[in-house]
Amino acid sequence: MSLTTRIFIGLILGIIVGIFFMRAPNIATTYIQPFGTLFLNLIKMIIVPLVLSSLVVGAASVGDVAKLGRIGIKTIVYFLVTTAFAVLIGLLLGNIFQPGIGLSLPTGTEVRPGEVPSIVTTLLNIVPTNAVDAMVKANMLQIIVFAIFLGIGITLAGEKGKPLYEVFDSLAEVMYKITAIIMEYAPIGIFALMVPVVATNGPAVLIPLLKVILAVYAGCIIHAVIVYGFSVQVFARMNPIHFFRGISEAAMVAFTTCSSSGTLPVTMRNTEDNLGVSRSITSFVLPLGATINMDGTALYQGVCALFVAQVYGIELSIAQQITIILSATLASIGTAGVPGAGFIMLTMVLQSVGLPLEASALIAGIDRILDMIRTCINIIGDASCSVVVAATEGELKDTRKYTPRT
């Protein structure tokens, strides 16, 4: 039985058992959730060394600083364009579904917004003053910047840089092997993560907010099929069905863990083995995407911003909706690839157009359910970018007859 099948079985069993424990969610949280937390901890354990080593190897293995810059520009442009499309789809569906009509706020609930940093501060903060401290705190943007500079330095050092390159290359291979070991535990971990989610967020909380859930899920599916399917078909001549099959294992892990960074090892393996993207491209594009490419999060923010406006009976102008597109696109770049981070960024998007923040307390009740699909879309977007970039660089193998790993 393939790992994908086992993960899917764990997912379904988690839903069934979660429904059974709806009357006693504390049992699911106390006795079952720790097995899921263990899975997340194992994934988090390897994220920093995996991202550091793979990005250093990815940047250094390009062998040409000019080529590295070219790949970087293609990647950033792809991320920004697809993210803007995601927010636009979210706003369109928010206008169609009108999820906030007929809902009322619970009294005495308020979500305090995070402080919105200036653009200059944001840009300065991505450069670490202490690389070791960035790794200790798992600040992914700072780790990425340091790793790229380290990879460029190894390339410019020539022969003297090879020993250091071999150290990071060896570390990356060891991380891939550890990832394979951890993924054998994935079906159990995913089962244990699903049970408390379903037990805690049963129909009682889903029914009044069903429109929000439907809008976000529909938007994510539309975005994946149209934007990603179109991209891999046009730029890489890859059948979209083949693409979605190839990344399905990583998509299911993302759906249950709600962590783009945590899913990174599986995304890298699927993209290389199933979609034929070269190691040099995946090592650069995917760690970068897990940190700054959050299409699902941006789409969610568009839907939820309209939801909040509708709850209060506020009509958003075209200019305000354009502001939401821009702020959600930029906010998604700074969103950490960990569970629930998108909800924190939502308060900043609401603040950008002067919407009340109290209504976001309603979203908090179903945020985990929304987080599942938006994280799934985030990592599919990362994979589609790696396919497109690899195709334009002539580094995409034909894997139409691939055999998924067992």
PDB file of all heavy atoms in Angstrom, residues 205-217:
ATOM      1  N   VAL A 205     -20.447  24.581  15.053  1.00  0.00           N
ATOM      2  CA  VAL A 205     -19.712  25.783  14.661  1.00  0.00           C
ATOM      3  C   VAL A 205     -19.647  25.924  13.148  1.00  0.00           C
ATOM      4  O   VAL A 205     -19.458  27.011  12.617  1.00  0.00           O
ATOM      5  CB  VAL A 205     -18.279  25.775  15.261  1.00  0.00           C
ATOM      6  CG1 VAL A 205     -17.408  24.738  14.577  1.00  0.00           C
ATOM      7  CG2 VAL A 205     -17.651  27.149  15.170  1.00  0.00           C
ATOM      8  N   LEU A 206     -19.820  24.819  12.422  1.00  0.00           N
ATOM      9  CA  LEU A 206     -19.700  24.869  10.971  1.00  0.00           C
ATOM     10  C   LEU A 206     -20.948  25.425  10.297  1.00  0.00           C
ATOM     11  O   LEU A 206     -20.851  26.158   9.321  1.00  0.00           O
ATOM     12  CB  LEU A 206     -19.409  23.463  10.416  1.00  0.00           C
ATOM     13  CG  LEU A 206     -18.107  22.806  10.862  1.00  0.00           C
ATOM     14  CD1 LEU A 206     -17.929  21.481  10.156  1.00  0.00           C
ATOM     15  CD2 LEU A 206     -16.925  23.722  10.588  1.00  0.00           C
ATOM     16  N   ILE A 207     -22.132  25.080  10.801  1.00  0.00           N
ATOM     17  CA  ILE A 207     -23.365  25.428  10.101  1.00  0.00           C
ATOM     18  C   ILE A 207     -23.538  26.936   9.907  1.00  0.00           C
ATOM     19  O   ILE A 207     -23.760  27.393   8.788  1.00  0.00           O
ATOM     20  CB  ILE A 207     -24.584  24.809  10.826  1.00  0.00           C
ATOM     21  CG1 ILE A 207     -24.550  23.282  10.662  1.00  0.00           C
ATOM     22  CG2 ILE A 207     -25.893  25.365  10.265  1.00  0.00           C
ATOM     23  CD1 ILE A 207     -25.612  22.549  11.467  1.00  0.00           C
ATOM     24  N   PRO A 208     -23.434  27.773  10.961  1.00  0.00           N
ATOM     25  CA  PRO A 208     -23.636  29.208  10.738  1.00  0.00           C
ATOM     26  C   PRO A 208     -22.563  29.856   9.866  1.00  0.00           C
ATOM     27  O   PRO A 208     -22.765  30.928   9.320  1.00  0.00           O
ATOM     28  CB  PRO A 208     -23.620  29.791  12.157  1.00  0.00           C
ATOM     29  CG  PRO A 208     -22.911  28.793  12.977  1.00  0.00           C
ATOM     30  CD  PRO A 208     -23.193  27.467  12.372  1.00  0.00           C
ATOM     31  N   LEU A 209     -21.414  29.240   9.744  1.00  0.00           N
ATOM     32  CA  LEU A 209     -20.327  29.819   8.954  1.00  0.00           C
ATOM     33  C   LEU A 209     -20.033  28.981   7.704  1.00  0.00           C
ATOM     34  O   LEU A 209     -18.950  29.053   7.134  1.00  0.00           O
ATOM     35  CB  LEU A 209     -19.065  29.922   9.824  1.00  0.00           C
ATOM     36  CG  LEU A 209     -19.197  30.880  11.015  1.00  0.00           C
ATOM     37  CD1 LEU A 209     -18.021  30.707  11.957  1.00  0.00           C
ATOM     38  CD2 LEU A 209     -19.303  32.303  10.554  1.00  0.00           C
ATOM     39  N   LEU A 210     -21.036  28.204   7.292  1.00  0.00           N
ATOM     40  CA  LEU A 210     -20.843  27.299   6.162  1.00  0.00           C
ATOM     41  C   LEU A 210     -20.513  28.055   4.883  1.00  0.00           C
ATOM     42  O   LEU A 210     -19.722  27.589   4.056  1.00  0.00           O
ATOM     43  CB  LEU A 210     -22.102  26.445   5.963  1.00  0.00           C
ATOM     44  CG  LEU A 210     -22.000  25.309   4.945  1.00  0.00           C
ATOM     45  CD1 LEU A 210     -20.886  24.344   5.332  1.00  0.00           C
ATOM     46  CD2 LEU A 210     -23.334  24.572   4.822  1.00  0.00           C
ATOM     47  N   LYS A 211     -21.102  29.240   4.718  1.00  0.00           N
ATOM     48  CA  LYS A 211     -20.840  30.020   3.502  1.00  0.00           C
ATOM     49  C   LYS A 211     -19.377  30.447   3.412  1.00  0.00           C
ATOM     50  O   LYS A 211     -18.789  30.457   2.331  1.00  0.00           O
ATOM     51  CB  LYS A 211     -21.739  31.250   3.460  1.00  0.00           C
ATOM     52  CG  LYS A 211     -23.186  30.972   3.064  1.00  0.00           C
ATOM     53  CD  LYS A 211     -23.945  32.281   2.912  1.00  0.00           C
ATOM     54  CE  LYS A 211     -25.381  32.049   2.471  1.00  0.00           C
ATOM     55  NZ  LYS A 211     -26.108  33.330   2.320  1.00  0.00           N
ATOM     56  N   VAL A 212     -18.808  30.812   4.556  1.00  0.00           N
ATOM     57  CA  VAL A 212     -17.391  31.195   4.562  1.00  0.00           C
ATOM     58  C   VAL A 212     -16.528  30.008   4.150  1.00  0.00           C
ATOM     59  O   VAL A 212     -15.618  30.129   3.314  1.00  0.00           O
ATOM     60  CB  VAL A 212     -16.962  31.697   5.959  1.00  0.00           C
ATOM     61  CG1 VAL A 212     -15.481  32.054   5.972  1.00  0.00           C
ATOM     62  CG2 VAL A 212     -17.793  32.900   6.365  1.00  0.00           C
ATOM     63  N   ILE A 213     -16.819  28.848   4.735  1.00  0.00           N
ATOM     64  CA  ILE A 213     -16.053  27.644   4.421  1.00  0.00           C
ATOM     65  C   ILE A 213     -16.192  27.278   2.947  1.00  0.00           C
ATOM     66  O   ILE A 213     -15.205  26.986   2.263  1.00  0.00           O
ATOM     67  CB  ILE A 213     -16.507  26.476   5.317  1.00  0.00           C
ATOM     68  CG1 ILE A 213     -16.222  26.804   6.790  1.00  0.00           C
ATOM     69  CG2 ILE A 213     -15.812  25.182   4.931  1.00  0.00           C
ATOM     70  CD1 ILE A 213     -16.829  25.832   7.777  1.00  0.00           C
ATOM     71  N   LEU A 214     -17.432  27.315   2.433  1.00  0.00           N
ATOM     72  CA  LEU A 214     -17.668  26.970   1.027  1.00  0.00           C
ATOM     73  C   LEU A 214     -16.956  27.944   0.097  1.00  0.00           C
ATOM     74  O   LEU A 214     -16.370  27.538  -0.918  1.00  0.00           O
ATOM     75  CB  LEU A 214     -19.170  26.971   0.732  1.00  0.00           C
ATOM     76  CG  LEU A 214     -19.988  25.827   1.333  1.00  0.00           C
ATOM     77  CD1 LEU A 214     -21.468  26.022   1.038  1.00  0.00           C
ATOM     78  CD2 LEU A 214     -19.509  24.481   0.790  1.00  0.00           C
ATOM     79  N   ALA A 215     -16.986  29.242   0.430  1.00  0.00           N
ATOM     80  CA  ALA A 215     -16.342  30.243  -0.417  1.00  0.00           C
ATOM     81  C   ALA A 215     -14.835  30.035  -0.475  1.00  0.00           C
ATOM     82  O   ALA A 215     -14.225  30.077  -1.550  1.00  0.00           O
ATOM     83  CB  ALA A 215     -16.668  31.651   0.088  1.00  0.00           C
ATOM     84  N   VAL A 216     -14.225  29.787   0.698  1.00  0.00           N
ATOM     85  CA  VAL A 216     -12.767  29.594   0.737  1.00  0.00           C
ATOM     86  C   VAL A 216     -12.368  28.301   0.028  1.00  0.00           C
ATOM     87  O   VAL A 216     -11.432  28.279  -0.785  1.00  0.00           O
ATOM     88  CB  VAL A 216     -12.261  29.598   2.186  1.00  0.00           C
ATOM     89  CG1 VAL A 216     -10.779  29.221   2.240  1.00  0.00           C
ATOM     90  CG2 VAL A 216     -12.469  30.969   2.825  1.00  0.00           C
ATOM     91  N   TYR A 217     -13.097  27.211   0.286  1.00  0.00           N
ATOM     92  CA  TYR A 217     -12.768  25.940  -0.345  1.00  0.00           C
ATOM     93  C   TYR A 217     -12.982  26.001  -1.851  1.00  0.00           C
ATOM     94  O   TYR A 217     -12.151  25.524  -2.635  1.00  0.00           O
ATOM     95  CB  TYR A 217     -13.601  24.806   0.270  1.00  0.00           C
ATOM     96  CG  TYR A 217     -12.963  24.189   1.498  1.00  0.00           C
ATOM     97  CD1 TYR A 217     -12.812  24.923   2.669  1.00  0.00           C
ATOM     98  CD2 TYR A 217     -12.490  22.883   1.493  1.00  0.00           C
ATOM     99  CE1 TYR A 217     -12.219  24.373   3.798  1.00  0.00           C
ATOM    100  CE2 TYR A 217     -11.896  22.326   2.612  1.00  0.00           C
ATOM    101  CZ  TYR A 217     -11.757  23.072   3.769  1.00  0.00           C
ATOM    102  OH  TYR A 217     -11.152  22.528   4.879  1.00  0.00           O
TER     103      TYR A 217
END
